[in-house]
Amino acid sequence: MIAATADGVAFESIGLGLKSHNIPVLPPTKDNTIELADRDGAVDFGSTYGPRIFNLDCIVMADDPTLDYQRRVALVAALFNIRKRDIVFTFGDLIGKRYVGRYAGTMDITKLIFDGEVSIPIKMNSPWPESTQDTTVREYGQGLEYGQGYLYSDYAVWIGSSGQNIVVRNEGSISAYPVLRISGAFSSFSLTDGVSTLVLSGTSSASDVWEINCDPGECTVRLNGQNAYFRSNGVFFELRPGNTTFTVSGGSLAFNLAFVFRYKYLY
């Protein structure tokens, strides 16, 4: 059996054994084309990936064929209840990655004396596996042990002079959209990756905390938890796989700049 968790619950703790997860190498594609009159073939507008769907082939293992069996089936139903919305899955043969999805389809079960065989369909609307840890700086004792990374982080840097460069590495195989966390003082702040430039107007005090969420579904700018989009020029960054060099400019710079994100993978 493959060790696995769903929503933080170990499969084995509810008597569920995972035989296979059948995760496809890539999600299915959607071809964006249009056919025109008097023109052979089609005009290609590129392709996109759809949701990733896979099955968890499992065995429900019970101590008796009646009461304990029904109790364990009820635990399985509660664990995969779609009212929870998306939940996080981890698999023992896919170390360092998490899969975010939900039950979608039907869950028929075949009774085999004490046990039951069940195939659980999972749909990942965002089809990319993610790193189990994000790039938040952590210290030993904060859920990490030696060798688990991120203690000495290149993703959080003290900024004290204009023109300072920061190299941010995305070790995934898919672009990531970070949360930029700025804690401290500046005036006339700008941050550029050589292509796009984020500008924050006015000044920031030593106690201020900014959060710029670059996720295309969010695109928010907050100052001390409050909406501050009007103080930005509405630029948000995409971190392609590999290194991206950022340059900070402005006056009276004395702040910590952190890039918080998870690596995303094709598989």
Side-chain angles (χ1 to χ4, degrees):
M1 297 294 177
I2 301 170
T5 68
D7 201 24
V9 177
F11 279 30
E12 63 181 10
S13 71
I14 62 170
L16 195 61
L18 177 63
K19 295 190 296 182
S20 66
H21 43 57
N22 300 319
I23 298 173
V25 176
L26 285 171
T29 60
K30 177 183 178 182
D31 296 326
N32 303 303
T33 61
I34 186 170
E35 297 182 5
L36 301 176
D38 297 325
R39 179 168 177 171
D40 296 331
V43 179
D44 183 11
F45 290 96
S47 299
T48 54
Y49 286 107
R52 192 188 301 250
I53 298 172
F54 58 90
N55 292 320
L56 303 176
D57 292 332
C58 301
I59 296 177
V60 179
M61 297 173 287
D63 295 331
D64 64 66
T66 53
L67 294 179
D68 190 58
Y69 174 81
Q70 298 299 339
R71 181 180 70 85
R72 292 184 184 277
V73 171
L75 291 173
V76 171
L79 180 59
F80 291 96
N81 183 1
I82 63 168
R83 302 301 183 194
K84 297 179 180 180
R85 299 186 179 274
D86 284 352
I87 60 176
V88 174
F89 296 87
T90 64
F91 304 104
D93 59 341
L94 295 166
I95 302 298
K97 297 178 181 178
R98 68 179 207 163
Y99 297 73
V100 181
R102 61 176 175 83
Y103 161 66
T106 59
M107 195 189 300
D108 296 329
I109 188 167
T110 302
K111 181 76 177 295
L112 300 170
I113 308 177
F114 280 69
D115 302 330
E117 289 188 344
V118 62
S119 183
I120 305 168
I122 302 299
K123 180 179 182 181
M124 296 174 63
N125 287 307
S126 177
W128 311 121
E130 304 173 335
S131 56
T132 52
Q133 296 284 355
D134 64 24
T135 56
T136 301
V137 178
R138 292 179 174 85
E139 297 178 358
Y140 302 142
Q142 294 180 309
L144 289 181
E145 297 176 0
Y146 179 76
Q148 290 184 314
Y150 305 124
L151 177 61
Y152 303 106
S153 177
D154 294 328
Y155 303 99
V157 179
W158 178 257
I159 305 297
S161 61
S162 186
Q164 189 169 335
N165 290 332
I166 309 140
V167 177
V168 178
R169 181 165 182 79
N170 176 7
E171 295 186 8
S173 50
I174 290 291
S175 291
Y177 299 92
V179 172
L180 277 60
R181 188 169 295 137
I182 303 167
S183 307
F186 62 78
S187 63
S188 302
F189 169 94
S190 71
L191 178 69
T192 182
D193 62 359
V195 177
S196 302
T197 302
L198 168 67
V199 175
L200 300 178
S201 63
T203 62
S204 178
S205 69
S207 60
D208 284 337
V209 178
W210 296 74
E211 285 200 348
I212 296 94
N213 190 336
C214 298
D215 188 308
E218 299 290 337
C219 293
T220 57
V221 179
R222 295 191 176 277
L223 172 58
N224 300 324
Q226 302 299 312
N227 180 22
Y229 192 94
F230 66 96
R231 290 187 57 179
S232 79
N233 64 339
V235 168
F236 301 93
F237 294 109
E238 173 185 0
L239 296 176
R240 297 184 182 277
N243 292 338
T244 301
T245 300
F246 290 89
T247 303
V248 183
S249 300
S252 305
L253 304 182
F255 61 86
N256 188 73
L257 173 59
F259 291 77
V260 180
F261 63 98
R262 294 179 189 270
Y263 306 140
K264 294 180 182 292
Y265 307 96
L266 285 169
Y267 177 78

